[in-house]
């Protein structure tokens, strides 16, 4: 396997086409006026299973042959990758073994179960997640599908930016959130191949700024127990995502916890769409860097909309 | 003035075109599977000022001549009509005098003010609202724009169903909420003219069932202090909306308060869009009458998305 080329992103798009939504690109005149920019929101909150993760998961699962699939697929995830993988496995009539921390919210556990995922709980540390996953794989012989440090996953996530570029040509910027870097590296590759004049910017919580630190020091610096409300962005970059980001991403902007909550609420109130905390870092990056984005055409990847409606951050 | 004919709805659509959004029609596979019907959601929560009311308000304000406009427009409303009228007046550089009950939420007061509306508060009774409005009109000589009992308003609201019919031909049913009946009578007329084979159904809170009672007794029975969470549906029908509804609406289904909250949450969770309580009665009507709608193509008018995010009903 190698870094996805143009052809493998085109193949991913074709492979997953029957199983995902071509999501809408929304605009909002109020936000455009407020930020003096033309903002184009690629709404992956409307994606199957509520997040862009369905793209990568479908590309990975539908790339496997019958032999690789026969014992199911496995991953550890407390979030959207778990749901997306469970759904993709169900579409191919195979099992999905999901290792989840035992403090995962009921909403997320129920969602994984609703797609038929088989959950093994573990204590909420990265080490326990990884050892539990290896134990599950040893017992089941399932094929591991890593949530982001996997080129097939990256090629799948790249299709979101590819669609955005098709729908809105000549964007000056595309902004994506960065956690493990699957979405960001896919976005950067798709932009490099399909709209090379467009610059890619990452948005990251200050309190989980491993990508920012790694990007500027040019060496991999992991997050240590990051504490951010943007729960999808607590993971650290991987050895496959980091080099792509260094090569193809223009800059990484960090945002505060207050920025995240305020911009999340702004999108809910003004656009009447439900986005998760991890998706709000992008608009916060625009708000904090208004001179850069003034009068520009800016694509914003809204990564997902899976929220516990009984536990909102305001 | 007379009941809007086909031509006046076409004129309304053309008149308001530059000032409103042609809103998306969304579908949701999960809800289709859950209800075994093909549901098409006309998203007026994405409309300017957050509700279908911008259609009627723009049609009314842009139908007035300079002389009728010179002293501004006036209405009493605690909700979406107030915002929509303030916005429409601003677009024509005239004033909007809005009488609001003094227990209106801060969110709504702020929204009216953000469009430049001039607010006069009164105690929260219908009588106080009407006498205060008459006093404001006597002082200002503004032109009154009633929120629903006005044929120009009705023709404006009719354009939502007209667009839905254009986008999704051969619907078996269109369901709209009913409060004062502006949206419902407009929907019924548009359907009668542009898709006569489609049946129109109204959805109404049990606890504000004046339209249901009036429809079946064939005489106007007003609501008396209705107590429903669907605050946009507490008003009673008017003498202009009621006859249109009796003639062109197939049936009125009532739904409980629990139905409203559950179906509102279901749409938020599954569709990732923000709809207000008054919009949830439609899906609740489908859920309570599943045999009727089984395997049918059903258009659902989502009336608005103006919600106090700090005060949700779950």
């Amino acid at each position: 396997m190698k870094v996805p080329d143009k052809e493998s992103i085109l193949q991913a798009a074709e492979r997953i086409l029957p199983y995902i939504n071509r999501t809408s690109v929304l605009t909002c005149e109020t936000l455009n006026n407020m930020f003096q920019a033309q903002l184009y929101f690629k709404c992956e909150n409307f994606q199957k299973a509520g997040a862009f993760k369905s793209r990568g998961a479908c590309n990975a699962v539908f790339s496997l042959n019958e032999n690789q699939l026969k014992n199911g697929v496995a991953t550890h995830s407390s979030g959207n990758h778990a749901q997306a993988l469970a759904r993709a496995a169900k579409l191919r009539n195979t099992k999905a073994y999901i290792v989840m921390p035992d403090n995962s919210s009921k909403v997320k556990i129920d969602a994984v179960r609703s797609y038929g995922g088989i959950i093994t709980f573990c204590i909420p540390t990265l080490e326990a997640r990884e050892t539990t996953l290896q134990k599950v794989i040893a017992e089941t012989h399932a094929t591991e599908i890593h949530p982001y440090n996997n080129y097939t996953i990256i090629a799948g996530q790249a299709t979101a930016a590819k669609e955005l570029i098709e729908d809105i040509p000549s964007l000056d910027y595309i902004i994506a959130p960065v956690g493990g870097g699957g979405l960001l590296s896919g976005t950067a590759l798709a932009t490099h191949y399909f709209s090379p004049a467009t610059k890619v910017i990452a948005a990251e919580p200050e309190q989980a700024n491993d990508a920012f630190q790694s990007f500027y020091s040019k060496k991999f610096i992991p997050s240590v127990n990051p504490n951010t409300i943007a729960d999808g962005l607590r993971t650290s970059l991987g050895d496959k995502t980091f080099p792509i980001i260094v090569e193809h991403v223009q800059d990484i902007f960090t945002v505060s916890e207050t920025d995240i909550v305020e911009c999340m609420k702004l999108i809910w109130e003004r656009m009447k769409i439900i986005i998760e905390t991890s998706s709000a870092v992008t608009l916060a990056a625009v708000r904090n860097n208004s001179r850069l984005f003034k009068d520009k055409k800016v694509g914003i990847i809204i990564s997902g909309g899976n929220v516990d409606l009984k536990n909102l951050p305001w």
Side-chain angles (χ1 to χ4, degrees), chain A:
Chain A
M1 290 292 295
K2 57 181 181 44
V3 172
D5 57 12
K6 190 173 185 171
E7 190 54 35
S8 55
I9 296 173
L10 292 169
Q11 283 166 359
E14 201 178 319
R15 184 178 293 122
I16 68 178
L17 184 65
Y19 311 108
I20 62 144
N21 292 329
R22 186 178 180 108
T23 54
S24 310
V25 177
L26 296 184
T27 59
C28 177
E29 206 182 309
T30 307
L31 293 181
N32 284 351
N33 292 336
M34 203 177 278
F35 296 109
Q36 296 188 287
Q38 290 166 265
L39 307 176
Y40 298 89
F41 296 85
K42 173 68 171 168
C43 287
E44 290 294 298
N45 52 332
F46 296 162
Q47 189 50 268
K48 296 288 184 190
F52 75 91
K53 295 279 188 182
S54 279
R55 297 177 180 271
C58 283
N59 195 43
V61 170
F62 282 87
S63 295
L64 298 178
N65 63 35
E66 291 298 326
N67 195 47
Q68 291 166 312
L69 268 184
K70 69 172 193 279
N71 297 315
V73 292
T75 200
H76 65 79
S77 165
S78 62
N80 291 332
H81 177 62
Q83 294 182 48
L85 190 66
R87 176 178 172 273
K90 193 180 180 188
L91 286 169
R92 284 207 69 185
N93 291 311
T94 193
K95 287 173 176 159
Y97 299 96
I98 313 287
V99 173
M100 294 184 84
D102 56 17
N103 64 349
S104 300
S105 73
K106 190 174 176 302
V107 173
K108 289 182 176 179
I109 295 167
D110 289 348
V112 172
R113 288 202 172 124
S114 78
Y115 292 113
I118 300 161
I119 302 174
T120 306
F121 291 102
C122 68
I123 60 167
T125 68
L126 182 59
E127 196 191 345
R129 284 164 63 148
E130 285 175 347
T131 55
T132 308
L133 177 60
Q134 291 319 313
K135 208 174 140 216
V136 167
I137 288 171
E139 285 167 7
T140 61
H141 307 287
T143 301
E144 181 177 353
I145 310 280
H146 192 279
Y148 54 86
N149 207 36
N150 172 322
Y151 288 133
T152 317
I153 290 282
I154 293 169
Q157 319 305 28
T159 60
K162 175 180 169 288
E163 289 175 6
L164 172 59
I165 289 163
E166 286 165 3
D167 288 357
I168 314 293
S170 340
L171 288 168
D172 297 298
Y173 293 96
I174 295 180
I175 310 180
V178 58
L183 177 64
L184 178 60
S185 58
T187 299
L189 290 174
T191 306
H192 173 64
Y193 299 134
F194 304 113
S195 185
T198 303
K199 295 185 178 103
V200 173
I201 303 278
E204 187 177 41
E206 272 167 20
Q207 295 189 195
N209 70 346
D210 66 291
F212 176 84
Q213 289 189 51
S214 303
F215 185 79
Y216 278 102
S217 65
K218 300 272 188 267
K219 65 169 193 247
F220 174 62
I221 299 171
S223 283
V224 181
N225 298 323
N227 177 25
T228 170
I229 194 172
D231 58 341
L233 307 181
R234 290 178 194 149
T235 41
S236 302
L237 296 179
D239 62 5
K240 295 189 172 62
T241 55
F242 178 43
I244 299 171
I245 290 166
V246 168
E247 188 172 350
H248 296 294
V249 170
Q250 172 85 9
D251 209 341
I252 298 183
F253 295 151
T254 59
V255 303
S256 73
E257 298 295 295
T258 308
D259 287 333
I260 294 172
V261 175
E262 286 176 1
C263 287
M264 178 177 169
K265 188 148 177 275
L266 199 55
I267 289 178
W268 284 46
E269 283 176 345
R270 294 300 176 158
M271 298 184 68
K272 313 296 180 189
I273 62 173
I274 291 174
I275 69 162
E276 55 194 52
T277 46
S278 303
S279 299
V281 293
T282 48
L283 187 65
V286 174
R287 191 172 72 163
N288 292 354
N289 298 277
S290 53
R291 274 169 53 185
L292 182 67
F293 297 112
K294 187 167 167 20
D295 299 328
K296 301 295 185 194
K297 284 178 75 170
V298 183
I300 286 181
I301 313 238
I302 295 295
S303 49
N306 291 327
V307 172
D308 181 353
L309 294 175
K310 293 193 176 180
N311 187 19
L312 296 172
W314 45 72

